[in-house]
Amino acid sequence: MTRGAWENQSLVAIIAVCYAGNLLFGWWGYILADPGSVVQLLLFQIGSACAVSASVMAARYTGLRGQHVAASAYILLGITHGISLGALGRTSINVDRGMTMVMPMIPALVCMFWCDLYPKWLRAAGVVPIAFFTLVYVNVHMGLPYYSWPLNAGYAALQILEVVWAVYLVKDW
């Protein structure tokens, strides 16, 4: 195996591990920890950090594969996860920051339609988290609660989508 092939294999493996880590730490925090506890926030922070890492590395990999629009989309997705991470404090979640993650997420997921590494159904699946997080954004502006089923469904949909993307990146490699 050449050095370049080993680097690409490592990149894809790290992407898969990090997106899976985001899903696992996020779900563990939601299911196992007390809501709003320091443990829950720590698990969410670890998951978000994993997602930032995976998105940045996925940008590099898709760019190497000639998928430049998707690479840019992954950069926007890294920013999205960075906003989510920035909303997580030691003792609370900043709702104003948390809801704004939808701003870079929408163009990120729309731009994934250009990624030929994924089947069309998977590209179209990006509409699901867009719908949920847009609903969260509108609800908060209307004075409705931030912590609600659209928020939970949006995170779950995004995390599952990213893990499935990672599977296709592994298949591509």
Side-chain angles (χ1 to χ4, degrees):
M1 179 181 296
T2 67
R3 174 79 178 156
W6 184 82
E7 286 274 337
N8 286 343
Q9 180 183 19
S10 299
L11 196 57
V12 170
I14 293 167
I15 293 165
V17 167
C18 286
Y19 275 142
N22 180 37
L23 184 137
L24 291 173
F25 284 107
W27 288 25
W28 285 340
Y30 182 73
I31 294 168
L32 301 176
D34 292 330
S37 69
V38 173
V39 171
Q40 184 183 55
L41 293 172
L42 177 62
L43 291 169
F44 288 169
Q45 288 169 345
I46 294 168
S48 291
C50 286
V52 170
S53 300
S55 296
V56 169
M57 292 182 187
R60 177 72 178 136
Y61 182 79
T62 53
L64 288 171
R65 301 290 292 132
Q67 303 291 315
H68 301 295
V69 174
S72 298
Y74 272 117
I75 292 168
L76 284 170
L77 202 56
I79 293 167
T80 298
H81 287 296
I83 292 169
S84 179
L85 179 59
L88 298 167
R90 190 176 58 81
T91 58
S92 66
I93 298 174
N94 184 314
V95 173
D96 290 335
R97 282 188 198 157
M99 70 175 202
T100 61
M101 69 180 270
V102 74
M103 298 303 185
M105 187 189 67
I106 290 173
L109 296 178
V110 168
C111 288
M112 285 298 180
F113 277 94
W114 276 263
C115 190
D116 292 337
L117 302 176
Y118 306 136
K120 289 180 182 169
W121 68 265
L122 186 55
R123 295 182 235 170
V127 172
V128 176
I130 288 173
F132 286 128
F133 280 108
T134 301
L135 186 56
V136 169
Y137 187 83
V138 169
N139 284 349
V140 170
H141 276 288
M142 292 176 54
L144 298 171
Y146 174 71
Y147 305 104
S148 58
W149 70 267
L151 181 69
N152 298 332
Y155 271 111
L158 183 58
Q159 290 166 335
I160 290 168
L161 180 64
E162 290 169 338
V163 168
V164 176
W165 285 341
V167 168
Y168 277 90
L169 292 180
V170 168
K171 284 179 160 186
D172 176 71
W173 180 83

